[in-house]
């Protein structure tokens, strides 16, 4: 008789936990469903935040590290076509700052001055955002 009571209690405890979990999931579902149907600005903001995070990751880790990723190639090609010249991004071993070089047709590279570098970085950010936005679902 004692064993039967133990199993019954255990079954009721498990059922109680399932009910609590079901209520919690129903509440989350209502909040998510209501937010997406009633407020499209929330969805746009979430997408924009995700695009910015991915773009930042692409800029920091892939472009400056020299990746051969298709998105990185597309960003570099778009930037080169917008700027009208080939640009090379490097972190020299003896300098902690990023250096941007203009690549000439003869293979010679000249470093961009700080003012031009800021313009290039702004354009790079815009191009990266547009590229990530176009490729994200």
């Amino acid at each position: 008789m004692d064993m039967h009571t133990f199993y019954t209690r255990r079954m009721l405890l498990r059922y109680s936990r399932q009910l609590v979990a079901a209520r919690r999931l129903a509440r989350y579902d209502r909040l998510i469903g209501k937010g997406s149907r009633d407020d499209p600005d929330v969805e746009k903001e979430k997408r924009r935040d995700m695009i910015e995070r991915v773009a930042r990751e692409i800029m920091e880790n892939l472009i400056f590290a020299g990746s051969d990723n298709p998105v990185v190639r597309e960003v570099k090609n778009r930037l080169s076509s917008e700027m009208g010249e080939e640009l090379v991004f490097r972190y020299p071993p003896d300098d902690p700052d990023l250096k941007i070089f203009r690549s000439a047709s003869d293979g010679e590279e000249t470093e961009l001055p700080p003012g031009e570098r800021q313009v290039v970085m702004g354009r790079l950010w815009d191009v990266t955002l547009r590229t990530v936005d176009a490729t994200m679902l």
Side-chain angles (χ1 to χ4, degrees), residues 17-37:
R17 287 181 186 157
Q18 288 175 348
L19 286 176
V20 169
R23 278 189 227 122
R24 184 178 297 142
L25 287 173
R27 186 176 68 229
Y28 290 151
D29 190 40
R30 275 184 300 193
L31 289 173
I32 290 171
K34 185 177 182 181
S36 65
R37 276 180 277 162

Side-chain angles (χ1 to χ4, degrees), residues 73-105:
R73 278 192 308 240
E74 185 177 344
V75 168
K76 286 183 177 181
N77 291 339
R78 282 186 181 183
L79 182 66
S80 294
S81 67
E82 282 189 17
M83 298 299 290
E85 57 193 353
E86 187 72 27
L87 298 170
V88 179
F89 301 91
R90 283 201 195 122
Y91 278 109
D94 58 342
D95 195 357
D97 292 332
L98 170 72
K99 302 288 183 185
I100 303 175
F101 296 94
R102 180 180 290 125
S103 181
S105 59

